[in-house]
Amino acid sequence: NGQTRTLLEKVCGFPDQWYGRAFSCSDKPLDVMHANEKAKLVYLTSDSTNTLEHLEDDKIYVIGGIVDRNRLKRATIDRAEKLGIATAKLPISDHLKLFTTKVLTCNHVFEILSKYRDQDNDWKKAMMAVLPQRKDVQEVKENEATGDTANKILDPKEALHPSS
């Protein structure tokens, strides 16, 4: 109904500076805008049970709408399921320990997707580069012996610049 676009127009540089970063928008509803590409759509939402392992060039990633996570719980995933669109969440828990909510702003998700490519398809580096310190982000270190994610937490500065 155009409310999301109206809110995004208040963001500096929207939409002109966003197009160069593989972003598109429309006044049309998602199912109309991509009517012939439904199989390519992946709606990103922290409520999904599917974890995004890597970005596929032939997919169209839809960043969940601007919603109040407390007032409109599951709004994004309910919309995707209603439209029959695949869903996925970022692999935050696989790489990081957040001591605050795992629900991110649309800007953070977009930046993480962009940084993922810039960081040679490394989710951990991309997320560490984007997420603000107020998120109290710490890296989860993988246990070399088992390959399982251990509960060992590294200092956030060490995550980007390991000492060894």
Side-chain angles (χ1 to χ4, degrees):
N1 62 9
Q3 289 177 330
T4 301
R5 184 182 174 99
T6 301
L7 291 170
L8 284 171
E9 286 173 347
K10 295 176 184 177
V11 176
C12 182
F14 180 85
D16 299 330
Q17 293 176 7
W18 290 33
Y19 286 122
R21 298 175 76 187
F23 177 86
S24 65
C25 63
S26 172
D27 292 335
K28 299 175 187 174
L30 181 63
D31 53 335
V32 174
M33 182 179 174
H34 296 286
N36 298 325
E37 303 171 302
K38 193 171 169 180
K40 292 181 177 183
L41 296 174
V42 179
Y43 218 130
L44 300 177
T45 170
S46 62
D47 290 320
S48 180
T49 57
N50 306 313
T51 301
L52 190 61
E53 293 181 24
H54 58 277
L55 294 178
E56 297 179 37
D57 292 337
D58 64 334
K59 296 289 184 186
I60 300 168
Y61 296 95
V62 180
I63 298 173
I66 301 172
V67 297
D68 179 341
R69 71 179 177 271
N70 295 319
R71 191 171 56 88
L72 299 172
K73 288 180 185 268
R74 292 189 46 88
T76 303
I77 197 163
D78 289 346
R79 172 97 169 119
E81 288 172 353
K82 179 181 175 187
L83 296 173
I85 297 171
T87 64
K89 62 184 172 185
L90 295 178
I92 296 171
S93 298
D94 294 349
H95 303 286
L96 303 176
K97 175 88 173 156
L98 297 185
F99 293 96
T100 61
T101 179
K102 289 183 183 128
V103 177
L104 305 177
T105 65
C106 292
N107 288 354
H108 286 147
V109 174
F110 185 76
E111 286 184 60
I112 288 169
L113 295 177
S114 296
K115 287 279 185 190
Y116 172 77
R117 293 293 194 197
D118 293 343
Q119 298 290 339
D120 295 321
N121 300 332
D122 187 317
W123 286 116
K124 187 183 297 184
K125 286 181 183 176
M127 289 184 274
M128 292 297 294
V130 171
L131 295 177
Q133 287 195 354
R134 65 181 160 75
K135 283 283 190 188
D136 199 12
V137 179
Q138 294 183 343
E139 179 182 356
V140 174
K141 186 171 182 177
E142 197 173 294
N143 184 328
E144 288 99 19
T146 64
D148 293 333
T149 301
N151 289 329
K152 182 174 180 184
I153 305 297
L154 299 177
D155 181 279
K157 294 176 193 92
E158 188 180 336
L160 292 177
H161 308 286
S163 56
S164 53

